[in-house]
Amino acid sequence: MPVKGVFAGGRASSAPLVGQASEPTIFELSVPGRSAYSGRNTEVPEWPIDAIEAHLRPEAVELPEVSERDLVAHFTRLASRNYSVDLGAYPLGSCTMKYNPRFADQVAAMDGISGVHPGTPENGIQGWLEIFSVLESYICAITGMAAATLQPPAGAAGELTGLLLMRAYHRSKGRNPQKVLIPDSAHGTNPASVTLAGYNAVTVPSGPDGLVSVDGLRQLVDEDVAGIMLTNPNTLGLFETEIVEILELVHSVDGLAYYDGANLNAIVGIVRPGDMGFDIVHSNLHKTFATPHGGGGPGAGPVAVAEKLARFLPGSLARVAADGSLGWFVPEESIGRVHGFYGNAVVLARALSFMQYLGGDGLKRMSELAVLNANWLKSRIEDSYFIPYGQVCMHEFVASAANIKKQWGVRALDIAKSLMEEGFHAPTVYFPLVVEEALMIEPTETESPQTLAALAESLIHLAELAEGNPEVLAAAPARTPVRRLDEARAARKPILTEDQRTG
Ligand SMILES: Cc1ncc(COP(=O)(O)O)c(C=O)c1O
């Protein structure tokens, strides 16, 4: 079905929103069958020099000077104190902290990728437009959806975008339902996004198996339901088994089904949210496709939608114009833009390079190995740790230190801090909230069998140590550059200046 809209013309940043452009052009919602990235156009946009000069400072800024030698020594010292994905296993559940291959860095550093000014007009960024359009087609192929926006800069930003699309859909039908259903195991960003979008979050209980309780859901579904947000695999690392029934219930009141695809790493090439019947799906490219997740970004949370929602997508989208060139296009009923320029463009280029490098079979293998590694590690440690939901897991699983705490007073936090002494990054702790003393472990597909075996040995060793020497775990870490921090205080009252630190 063709989606009506307008070609914005010129720069993405100045793209007119719906109704502002004079000559709408109808285009077919299809992916351009183009070849490889065509590179950077050398045409440089003209900038109004007077305007720039008016904003220049009259005198130079006084900056402290430091020699290159001292600067290199400073950063090398800092880097050697850090634990990173390049150093070893980083089993931080829910975050997919996998190794990011070097070729993605090389792609990101290419002049045509990193050297382009975001304000460059369309005719100067044909290669970039091709990257966006091909990546959109890949995301649609992976998720089973019809069209996608690449603008949202994170998973949470994708959630907000998806909820605004949900509202646009209901408004187009003259409806204004107020409730969005969210399972109790969901990531905290789900209810936060729902509130930010002006909806009311309603909690759906999980059953004893850790999956959405269909009976519980049935009690909550009424005409005021705008939709459901479902994470799959859920944050316990479990694949929701009652999807058909859940979606039938929500669709029966014309609610929309939103798929939180942050855990896409488990399912690429195996199942697709679109085939399951979902209407909206965000994916965290920064977890699954070659960009580290953490440190606050940058990330990318594209939102893909079913055909019936394509006309509401944020502008601008890269599409083929009548003359065969690629241009910026704004769908007729667009909700407006959700990010400046093209989103976090370099993250998008990294993701595309990763998808093209691995290909369809390679991406499927990636997910299969992620699931295999998690199940292997789970079965290796299950005699030492209580696993509250013991069924076959997907790419991650949740262990509990509740028994160890009860017997020896050793908490999940003590295990996590002690694991750092063993040479590994800590797993996620105390999340999801439905598990007491949770240790959420996601080994990812990039660790070797030897590394996984060593990680398992360390976890087992710590459980044994808890029995005879709980005080050692309580005092850990002892050999890291900094000992145990008061993380809550550091977050609430950060010391941001040297003066404060020494004063
Ligand atoms: C299940 C789930 N949903 C949403 C998010 C939010 O993604 P982001 O941190 O990119 O905003 C995460 C983050 O890891 C997640 O695990």
Side-chain angles (χ1 to χ4, degrees), residues 94 154-156 159 187 189-190 231 235 260 262 282 284 286-287 293:
S94 186
E159 292 168 25
H187 194 263
T189 48
N190 286 191
T231 305
T235 57
D260 180 330
H282 92 254
N284 288 21
H286 47 291
K287 289 166 73 166
H293 176 254

Side-chain angles (χ1 to χ4, degrees), residues 41-66:
N41 188 313
T42 48
E43 192 179 320
V44 177
E46 278 182 26
W47 294 98
I49 297 300
D50 293 352
I52 291 173
E53 275 176 356
H55 289 92
L56 289 177
R57 300 171 70 103
E59 72 287 327
V61 189
E62 263 189 52
L63 291 173
E65 288 199 14
V66 67

